[in-house]
Amino acid sequence: MLRLTALSIVLALAVSLTSAAVILENGMPILWAQTASQVTELPIQNGIVTPDPWHFLNRMSLYRLMIAATDPFMGSMGPTATENPMWGLPLQLGWMLTSGRLADPTGTTTCGHQTGDTMCISPESWWGCVNYFASAIPFLMIAITVTVSYQVQMQVPAGVEGYCTTYASCAAQYPDVISKWDAFFQVSDSPLPDNEKKDSLLGLYWVAQMASTYASAACNARQSYYSSAEVSFANSWLNSAEYIAAAHFQSNFEKSVAFITPLPGRILQEGDSAPNIADMTQEENHTLYIFSWMKNINSLLGGTLVRMWRSAMCSVTTREKGREMLEQLLLNPSYATSSFLSIVTGMTTSC
């Protein structure tokens, strides 16, 4: 409790001094040390594991347990202990927390706000809803596959409807999400060279991630609680996943920190227009501008840019090149968007 109170003070100071979101604490995702390291540390009722995905520490615990369960199969990903592509998810959840995106956007409760329970994830939050599809649902899948089999039922706040809470109900509502995560969690060793094995594993991971993303369209009504600027950013954030997934982005700890750190540290308000948002850093403004540019160009071209990119990402070699290009585009302000377009056009001819 003392640690959570201290975090509240830190978050309040961060909001008052800068817009940058906090995603790390002692070199790990925020509050990682307070999450469950064993399934049996989660709430249990009558022999059934009952995590509360509407409490930040419980939802973050799901990620810690999924990473631990899949780490033994990640030898081809790289030499360090943080190469698992699932590391991007807890870091992203931490960003959502400290940027205020998990709080109740309707203003009818204090859930997630400094005046209430800062660990509360609001069922009305669009961001919290989208993340549910990439946290609670995969955990329900992994609980019956990789780990010792547990019966799991997610808690849900009184009066809240629309969220599946068991493996059976999620499989019935979102069979594609369940099957794609199952394919990733059931991966076995193969005789392929490490770079091809790594690419194949990342491909399975991003297919599962995108299945969760597409299913999260069920959350769309919640966008009505946000400003047009925030909704535009949210949609461009979803659009960016198309490029990242097609390139089989290696979302290990180090690279995920680099990509998530420049995301906007607060919810966008009416009138916010990158790259000229005064209380945001140059990096945040650049990221917002590039996300918007990618979505707008794709829209102007009738979806052609995403289709061209997918076509270009046709081999291990082109996907490696694609990952390098995305890093330059998103992290290097001097990298010209025109260069990105011309290179993508050229790459499609080589496939």
Side-chain angles (χ1 to χ4, degrees):
M1 181 60 68
L2 288 175
R3 290 289 301 281
L4 295 183
T5 301
L7 175 67
S8 298
I9 295 172
V10 169
L11 295 184
L13 287 172
V15 170
S16 65
L17 296 175
T18 176
S19 65
V22 179
I23 63 170
L24 295 178
E25 180 185 32
N26 298 322
M28 296 299 286
I30 196 164
L31 295 176
W32 193 253
Q34 297 185 51
T35 57
S37 60
Q38 302 290 332
V39 173
T40 51
E41 295 173 19
L42 293 171
I44 298 178
Q45 296 180 7
N46 301 320
I48 300 174
V49 180
T50 56
D52 179 5
W54 308 105
H55 188 280
F56 177 81
L57 291 179
N58 268 220
R59 193 178 291 199
M60 189 68 99
S61 294
L62 304 184
Y63 286 137
R64 183 173 180 177
L65 294 168
M66 285 192 283
I67 289 171
T70 53
D71 266 348
F73 311 105
M74 298 294 162
S76 63
M77 301 305 291
T80 74
T82 55
E83 299 288 352
N84 193 319
M86 294 196 79
W87 274 109
L89 294 169
L91 290 163
Q92 183 173 263
L93 182 63
W95 163 71
M96 290 179 184
L97 174 78
T98 58
S99 66
R101 289 179 165 85
L102 298 179
D104 184 356
T106 69
T108 58
T109 75
T110 59
C111 176
H113 292 281
Q114 293 299 316
T115 54
D117 180 0
T118 56
M119 293 296 100
C120 178
I121 299 176
S122 172
E124 298 305 317
S125 163
W126 177 83
W127 296 92
C129 179
V130 169
N131 179 264
Y132 188 90
F133 286 81
S135 56
I137 296 180
F139 185 80
L140 289 167
M141 181 70 249
I142 204 172
I144 64 168
T145 54
V146 178
T147 65
V148 176
S149 184
Y150 288 96
Q151 188 175 353
V152 180
Q153 179 161 357
M154 297 293 165
Q155 296 181 40
V156 61
V160 172
E161 299 179 351
Y163 290 98
C164 63
T165 58
T166 64
Y167 171 81
S169 63
C170 289
Q173 287 182 252
Y174 306 106
D176 190 55
V177 178
I178 289 290
S179 66
K180 296 300 191 296
W181 280 107
D182 182 45
F184 172 66
F185 291 142
Q186 296 283 6
V187 69
S188 58
D189 200 13
S190 75
L192 292 172
D194 271 357
N195 69 322
E196 293 182 27
K197 192 187 304 183
K198 174 180 177 179
D199 182 75
S200 176
L201 187 57
L202 287 171
L204 289 171
Y205 172 74
W206 282 107
V207 165
Q209 267 286 82
M210 292 310 293
S212 285
T213 298
Y214 297 143
S216 72
C219 306
N220 284 355
R222 291 167 176 79
Q223 288 193 346
S224 65
Y225 302 134
Y226 300 91
S227 69
S228 59
E230 180 72 5
V231 171
S232 178
F233 164 60
N235 291 333
S236 65
W237 177 76
L238 289 176
N239 178 70
S240 71
E242 298 283 359
Y243 301 89
I244 292 170
H248 295 182
F249 175 64
Q250 165 55 322
S251 50
N252 62 16
F253 188 91
E254 181 182 3
K255 288 189 180 295
S256 294
V257 168
F259 272 72
I260 294 170
T261 297
L263 292 178
R266 63 164 174 79
I267 295 175
L268 300 186
Q269 303 164 357
E270 297 295 351
D272 283 336
S273 180
N276 301 306
I277 303 176
D279 68 337
M280 289 193 176
T281 65
Q282 179 183 356
E283 291 77 15
E284 288 171 295
N285 270 292
H286 173 71
T287 299
L288 283 169
Y289 174 76
I290 292 298
F291 274 22
S292 178
W293 175 83
M294 293 171 76
K295 180 178 180 296
N296 291 339
I297 289 295
N298 186 58
S299 296
L300 286 171
L301 297 176
T304 301
L305 183 57
V306 166
R307 290 195 294 272
M308 286 174 58
W309 179 260
R310 286 175 181 158
S311 297
M313 300 296 104
C314 59
S315 68
V316 174
T317 301
T318 58
R319 286 190 288 270
E320 289 175 351
K321 177 66 175 177
R323 292 193 289 271
E324 293 173 4
M325 288 172 61
L326 285 175
E327 288 188 38
Q328 287 294 313
L329 182 66
L330 291 168
L331 303 179
N332 180 4
S334 64
Y335 186 77
T337 52
S338 57
S339 298
F340 180 81
L341 279 174
S342 61
I343 294 173
V344 172
T345 303
M347 289 175 69
T348 56
T349 62
S350 66
C351 292

